[in-house]
Amino acid sequence: MKKFLIEFIALLLIIAASFMIITENSGESASESTEEMGEALIKSMEETKKEKMKLEQFLTKASQELNDNGYEQIGLSYTDESLTVQVKDQSFIDDNKVNIERIIHNVAEQINFHGFEVEFLNLANYVTFSEEDEKLRESTMKVYDEILNLLREAGYTYNSISMDPNKEVIIEIQGMENDLKMRKEMEELIGQTILSKLNMDLEVKIRKKSESAIRDQEWQPIFGAIREETEKKFEEYRGFAYSFHPEPLQIIIKTDMDTHKWFWKFNKKANQITEYVDKIIELKREELSIEEIPYKIIIRNNKND
């Protein structure tokens, strides 16, 4: 009996020791996995940054080449490996499509930008502005230009400008809200300039940007990284949303997963996505020196539940 107890105790000790080793190794593996994830994410975000810079270079050079060839009224937009050329009507497309495509592909070849299709969008098929609307749009743009010139000369950068053409202009500028005298002087200068140059009598108001708006703006690069990197990593990704209200910040990742058929698989993948998004937030916050705030990551299924 005594021999049996000794053997039993020895067995328990071996099991306990084995469990401790497994636990320790598991902890080390998790630590290594998190570290590897961080390194892979940093590399991926650098690649994304280079791709965006190349896209910007391509669009800028393509627009310039088209302008130099007499196509000043063309607009370009790029989404999902598709370059959309926005033109005024179908006859313009029929007469110029081949030449426009040639210019675009030549530019792409020069900067080694490939893997896209060229599509044409006929703007005549969409809502057109009346003559009165067009005049209002032009006068509004002139007001914006005057305001931007005055702010630039004074050394200020605006956050937003909103305008009621018949009443007022509201400008949000950080750095001036605490100086009442300076704010009033700037409001008068902008109002007088608009009146004298454009003959529009508008009340000008300079306001402080709200804390929530500032916070929203600060987090936009983080939200952008979440969209880009999660879409690259997970084929289940279908969309992104966020909301600061109610608190805490809600970060919503939409997927095409069916929880009714594969509940266990959804939970496993949801945990992986959550961990990945957490790491993106951590890295981007550190990079941008953004203050940490409480947040919650929500993974939605294909029913948006």
Side-chain angles (χ1 to χ4, degrees):
M1 183 68 179
K2 183 177 180 181
K3 182 180 178 182
F4 173 77
L5 287 174
I6 291 172
E7 290 177 349
F8 181 71
I9 291 170
L11 179 61
L12 287 177
L13 289 173
I14 292 170
I15 293 172
S18 299
F19 178 76
M20 290 175 64
I21 292 171
I22 292 171
T23 303
E24 183 178 347
N25 289 339
S26 176
E28 289 176 357
S29 298
S31 176
E32 290 172 3
S33 177
T34 303
E35 186 176 337
E36 289 171 359
M37 180 197 298
E39 292 174 355
L41 254 175
I42 291 172
K43 182 179 179 180
S44 179
M45 287 192 287
E46 282 298 321
E47 291 172 352
T48 300
K49 188 182 296 184
K50 290 177 182 178
E51 290 168 2
K52 290 169 73 174
M53 289 176 64
K54 181 171 281 191
L55 172 59
E56 184 177 344
Q57 181 187 4
F58 167 62
L59 291 175
T60 301
K61 188 169 180 58
S63 295
Q64 185 61 54
E65 287 293 322
L66 288 167
N67 286 338
D68 292 345
N69 283 271
Y71 299 116
E72 295 90 352
Q73 302 302 318
I74 286 179
L76 298 178
S77 62
Y78 188 92
T79 55
D80 299 327
E81 299 181 347
S82 175
L83 177 69
T84 301
V85 182
Q86 303 167 10
V87 297
K88 58 183 180 180
D89 55 43
Q90 186 60 45
S91 63
F92 184 89
I93 296 175
D94 296 338
D95 294 339
N96 299 280
K97 180 179 180 180
V98 174
N99 196 38
I100 290 172
E101 287 180 332
R102 179 186 60 79
I103 293 170
I104 289 171
H105 286 300
N106 284 344
V107 171
E109 192 66 32
Q110 290 172 21
I111 63 175
N112 195 29
F113 185 86
H114 304 293
F116 68 93
E117 296 180 354
V118 179
E119 298 180 352
F120 285 80
L121 177 66
N122 180 2
L123 297 179
N125 293 333
Y126 294 83
V127 178
T128 57
F129 292 105
S130 66
E131 185 176 345
E132 184 178 346
D133 288 337
E134 187 61 30
K135 287 181 180 178
L136 179 60
R137 187 189 68 81
E138 290 177 1
S139 63
T140 300
M141 293 307 300
K142 288 178 181 178
V143 169
Y144 284 160
D145 289 341
E146 291 296 335
I147 292 173
L148 293 180
N149 289 334
L150 290 170
L151 293 176
R152 195 178 297 114
E153 290 173 4
Y156 291 105
T157 302
Y158 78 98
N159 291 310
S160 69
I161 300 175
S162 58
M163 176 180 168
D164 177 346
N166 299 315
K167 188 178 179 182
E168 64 182 9
V169 177
I170 299 175
I171 310 168
E172 289 185 347
I173 306 176
Q174 285 179 282
M176 191 186 290
E177 60 270 10
N178 295 323
D179 192 328
L180 181 61
K181 182 181 178 183
M182 185 182 298
R183 190 170 77 240
K184 290 296 182 185
E185 289 176 354
M186 199 67 192
E187 287 173 345
E188 291 178 5
L189 175 61
I190 293 172
Q192 290 170 2
T193 302
I194 293 172
L195 180 60
S196 62
K197 290 189 175 183
L198 305 175
N199 196 30
M200 298 176 69
D201 190 7
L202 300 174
E203 181 181 4
V204 179
K205 297 179 181 178
I206 295 177
R207 294 181 177 176
K208 175 182 178 180
K209 192 167 187 177
S210 69
E211 292 298 323
S212 61
I214 294 172
R215 184 175 54 189
D216 190 296
Q217 185 178 19
E218 286 179 342
W219 274 72
Q220 286 307 312
I222 298 178
F223 296 148
I226 292 172
R227 282 192 296 267
E228 293 161 354
E229 300 306 324
T230 308
E231 184 174 18
K232 285 169 65 175
K233 179 70 174 178
F234 298 97
E235 62 181 13
E236 297 85 358
Y237 174 89
R238 287 297 177 270
F240 167 85
Y242 72 92
S243 176
F244 282 100
H245 304 288
E247 294 183 345
L249 165 63
Q250 297 177 54
I251 296 171
I252 302 167
I253 306 297
K254 302 174 183 179
T255 74
D256 63 0
M257 292 186 288
D258 189 340
T259 51
H260 298 292
K261 289 183 179 179
W262 304 106
F263 181 76
W264 65 272
K265 184 179 179 181
F266 175 82
N267 282 343
K268 181 179 179 181
K269 186 62 68 172
N271 288 336
Q272 292 174 356
I273 295 173
T274 298
E275 185 179 2
Y276 201 72
V277 172
D278 261 328
K279 197 64 181 177
I280 295 170
I281 294 171
E282 177 189 333
L283 292 172
K284 291 299 291 185
R285 270 202 326 97
E286 291 176 359
E287 176 191 339
L288 302 169
S289 300
I290 294 176
E291 182 181 356
E292 184 176 5
I293 61 172
Y295 65 85
K296 179 181 181 182
I297 299 171
I298 302 170
I299 312 298
R300 302 285 194 198
N301 62 16
N302 61 349
K303 303 295 184 184
N304 207 29
D305 295 331

